[in-house]
Amino acid sequence: MEGVGAQAAKNGGAGEGSRIQARQSRRLPDFLQSVNVKYVKLGYHYLLKYLITFSLIPVMAVTLVRASQLSSEDILELSHQLEKNLVSVAICSALLVLSATAYFMTRPRPVYLVDFSCYLPHSHQRVNYKNFMEHSRLTGDFDESSLEFQHKILERSGLGEETHVPDAMHYTPPRPTMANAREEAEQVMFGALENLFSNTSVKAKDIGILVVNCSLFNPTPSLSAMIINKYKLRGNIRSFNLGGMGCSAGVVAIDLAKDMLQVHRNTYAVVVSTENITQNWYFGNKKSMLIPNCLFRVGGSAVLLSNKSSDRRRAKYKLLHVVRTHCGADDKAFRCVYQEQDDQGKTGVSLSKDLMSIAGMALKTNITTLGPLVLPISEQLLFFFNLLAKKLIDPKRKSYIPDFKLAFDHFCIHAGGRAVIDELERNLQLEPTHVEASRMTLHRFGNTSSSSIWYELAYTEAKGRMRKGHRLWQIAFGSGFKCNSAVWEAVRNAKPSPNSPWLHCIDRYPVEIVS
């Protein structure tokens, strides 16, 4: 009897379980569990993005229905009304034509990036960790504490074993002469320009604007004059030479070229970005001035811009925005990257301990200006409502960080160092794939100053990731202190240039960066 009772109880329990399961199956699903929140947010963004379009659909439908109901008599009556008010119609038409003409004459001209080139240094200029430290020891200028410090910086830097230093630094002792510095500048600038002219088939006489930026090496005649002399550019060329503006000068140069292209019609602008190491190596023992020795390497880029409408078909990118932020009014920001002499009179660039916090402040100011230009309205509303709630309800409420991944498909963060990339990845809530180009550029070429953002774009192209309509954000930091941004849109699927510095090694990347 116990067995029968137990079996009945078991059968009863099974029946009850079936009834409960049946009732649950008739319930609505738990949407909080079945729907991923990110898809709800994505739908919200799309709704607001196309809100005006959605709103116009019923208006257009009603208009079409009403137009289809007009009889021939209604149309005839409408024409008679127009004849009676011919003067008013003529005046309105004239005003419309004048307004349209004024708009098209005064609107900003599109600026296209036809192509760009990054310089690939010679293989004999490569320097690995071991050779770097051995050479530093043989110079006799560094004490043991400084040598140990440089070794630690190298290990944590994110640089690989194939970066390059100029020929003058491979000698023992080094030869930081003016002649060798000129030679380095010529190798980099002319090498990048030769590739650019080869890729685009642009003739020297067609270049109307030339902008060159190099922070620490400013000889007389200038670097821009060296290029004009080499390629025999025309006598009425508008040339500019930017110095002392740090690693963000490349974006400054793009901004200057853009402004010039708004004034001068139907012309090309060439922007050359580089830095010179030969005469700017530090041979002292001040720790804050030794860091640039470990990070900066040979590199440079040349960019061809055009305002010709005929170049749209062959161009790679269209310039959308340039946003520049300068924090030089603040004394700490002004001195955080500072060229000076140490106690022994040896010249170098000193990096302040406050550098990262100042960079964060500059970034915050920059993206506050950039955000409304690029972020979808949905993201701007979320930011605005969060700000209101923080001001009026809870001051301790966590600030809402706009999702810039909704605005950009690719990020080119200046490869100034591993810490810079880490901080931007964390603060902007980026994924590892978004900073891959920056990390790999730092690993393969080191900190090439203002040209690093172009090596990163070349990496993205070599990986085949740049598609038509994709948006790119280039962001760089520089002495002063500055944070500058440039936003580009791909006008076609961008393939790597024939002379891309990544073509022969792209299959090896990405590589794992050892902590």
Side-chain angles (χ1 to χ4, degrees):
M1 292 296 293
E2 284 183 12
V4 175
Q7 185 65 33
K10 184 176 180 180
N11 292 338
E16 184 65 23
S18 300
R19 288 191 293 273
I20 293 173
Q21 186 175 4
R23 285 198 301 269
Q24 288 179 341
S25 66
R26 290 193 294 270
R27 292 178 182 174
L28 290 172
D30 186 351
F31 288 108
L32 291 177
Q33 299 296 325
S34 60
V35 179
N36 196 319
V37 177
K38 73 176 182 180
Y39 294 116
V40 176
K41 186 178 179 182
L42 188 61
Y44 159 71
H45 287 301
Y46 277 117
L47 175 63
L48 287 185
K49 182 178 180 180
Y50 299 106
L51 183 61
I52 296 178
T53 304
F54 293 151
S55 302
L56 287 176
I57 290 176
V59 176
M60 293 174 62
V62 171
T63 303
L64 289 173
V65 170
R66 294 287 295 174
S68 65
Q69 293 174 348
L70 289 175
S71 63
S72 57
E73 290 80 6
D74 294 330
I75 297 174
L76 188 62
E77 178 64 22
L78 182 62
S79 65
H80 288 323
Q81 290 293 330
L82 291 176
E83 289 177 1
K84 292 179 182 179
N85 298 279
L86 189 59
V87 175
S88 300
V89 172
I91 292 174
C92 291
S93 300
L95 289 174
L96 183 62
V97 171
L98 286 174
S99 300
T101 303
Y103 168 75
F104 285 108
M105 291 294 291
T106 58
R107 67 173 180 170
R109 296 183 180 88
V111 174
Y112 299 105
L113 190 158
V114 179
D115 205 348
F116 68 98
S117 170
C118 296
Y119 175 68
L120 178 61
H122 299 294
S123 58
H124 71 266
Q125 294 178 322
R126 289 181 183 174
V127 56
N128 56 33
Y129 290 3
K130 181 180 178 181
N131 291 342
F132 181 93
M133 292 308 305
E134 182 64 22
H135 191 267
S136 296
R137 187 180 300 277
L138 291 175
T139 61
D141 292 298
F142 307 107
D143 57 30
E144 287 299 322
S145 176
S146 296
L147 290 170
E148 183 181 352
F149 177 77
Q150 290 183 75
H151 188 261
K152 288 181 179 179
I153 294 296
L154 277 176
E155 289 181 334
R156 302 170 184 173
S157 65
L159 272 68
E161 299 280 358
E162 300 181 32
T163 59
H164 306 80
V165 296
D167 291 332
M169 307 315 298
H170 285 273
Y171 291 100
T172 304
R175 301 175 183 177
T177 64
M178 174 64 77
N180 286 334
R182 285 183 182 275
E183 183 179 355
E184 179 193 349
E186 291 174 355
Q187 285 180 355
V188 175
M189 295 191 305
F190 299 164
L193 285 168
E194 292 290 349
N195 290 339
L196 182 68
F197 294 150
S198 174
N199 296 342
T200 59
S201 301
V202 170
K203 298 178 181 178
K205 66 180 181 63
D206 295 329
I207 299 171
I209 300 162
L210 174 65
V211 184
V212 181
N213 69 269
C214 181
S215 190
L216 295 175
F217 181 59
N218 293 285
T220 300
S222 66
L223 298 178
S224 59
M226 290 168 60
I227 294 174
I228 292 171
N229 176 259
K230 167 71 174 179
Y231 295 100
K232 309 305 176 187
L233 303 184
R234 65 196 200 196
N236 65 343
I237 191 169
R238 281 83 177 176
S239 66
F240 303 87
N241 201 94
L242 307 181
M245 304 191 77
C247 299
S248 67
V251 179
V252 177
I254 292 292
D255 191 32
L256 175 57
K258 177 205 71 174
D259 291 342
M260 294 299 295
L261 286 170
Q262 296 303 314
V263 178
H264 303 283
R265 294 176 175 271
N266 200 37
T267 191
Y268 288 112
V270 169
V271 175
V272 179
S273 299
T274 187
E275 190 53 82
N276 195 282
I277 295 174
T278 298
Q279 285 195 313
N280 295 287
W281 202 267
Y282 175 60
F283 295 99
N285 292 289
K286 187 175 180 180
K287 300 293 193 297
S288 62
M289 300 171 77
L290 282 169
I291 298 175
N293 287 9
C294 303
L295 298 178
F296 283 88
R297 296 293 184 265
V298 173
S301 63
V303 181
L304 180 65
L305 302 175
S306 173
N307 58 11
K308 301 180 180 182
S309 57
S310 59
D311 280 323
R312 190 189 186 285
R313 290 185 177 181
R314 69 165 181 159
K316 287 186 172 183
Y317 306 96
K318 178 182 177 181
L319 181 61
L320 300 183
H321 307 288
V322 176
V323 175
R324 294 165 55 183
T325 301
H326 207 303
C327 303
D330 180 84
D331 291 339
K332 284 187 177 181
F334 175 72
R335 293 188 65 91
C336 71
V337 180
Y338 202 79
Q339 187 179 24
E340 59 184 351
Q341 291 181 322
D342 64 12
D343 296 336
Q344 281 70 45
K346 296 181 179 180
T347 303
V349 176
S350 176
L351 303 182
S352 167
K353 293 180 179 179
D354 299 323
L355 178 59
M356 292 309 301
S357 61
I358 291 169
M361 175 184 67
L363 173 65
K364 181 180 179 181
T365 305
N366 189 269
I367 64 176
T368 300
T369 306
L370 180 67
L373 299 175
V374 298
L375 288 170
I377 187 64
S378 53
E379 200 66 12
Q380 295 186 49
L381 287 175
L382 287 175
F383 178 80
F384 175 71
F385 290 136
N386 178 270
L387 183 64
L388 281 182
K390 188 172 181 179
K391 292 287 185 182
L392 303 177
I393 302 174
D394 182 13
K396 295 182 179 180
R397 182 187 182 94
K398 187 178 179 181
S399 297
Y400 179 74
I401 300 175
D403 188 357
F404 280 91
K405 297 188 292 294
L406 293 169
F408 301 111
D409 302 282
H410 307 282
F411 298 79
C412 290
I413 301 167
H414 166 53
R418 189 172 183 174
V420 174
I421 301 171
D422 288 345
E423 282 299 306
L424 264 73
E425 180 183 12
R426 182 178 61 84
N427 287 326
L428 296 177
Q429 299 179 352
L430 303 179
E431 302 295 331
T433 53
H434 295 132
V435 295
E436 181 183 315
S438 300
R439 292 195 189 281
M440 297 307 106
T441 295
L442 182 64
H443 181 273
R444 176 64 182 85
F445 295 102
N447 181 349
T448 59
S449 190
S450 55
S451 65
S452 69
I453 54 178
W454 297 106
Y455 284 89
E456 293 162 15
L457 180 53
Y459 178 90
T460 304
E461 289 183 350
K463 282 293 184 181
R465 297 171 181 171
M466 187 63 69
R467 317 304 295 173
K468 182 179 179 180
H470 280 189
R471 288 195 172 192
L472 161 76
W473 181 14
Q474 292 177 320
I475 182 167
F477 301 90
S479 58
F481 188 83
K482 299 180 288 294
C483 176
N484 298 326
S485 295
V487 178
W488 305 85
E489 181 179 21
V491 296
R492 60 185 173 91
N493 296 343
K495 297 180 180 179
S497 301
N499 298 304
S500 172
W502 292 99
L503 284 185
H504 300 296
C505 63
I506 193 64
D507 292 337
R508 295 193 281 117
Y509 287 89
V511 298
E512 184 179 355
I513 307 297
V514 181
S515 301

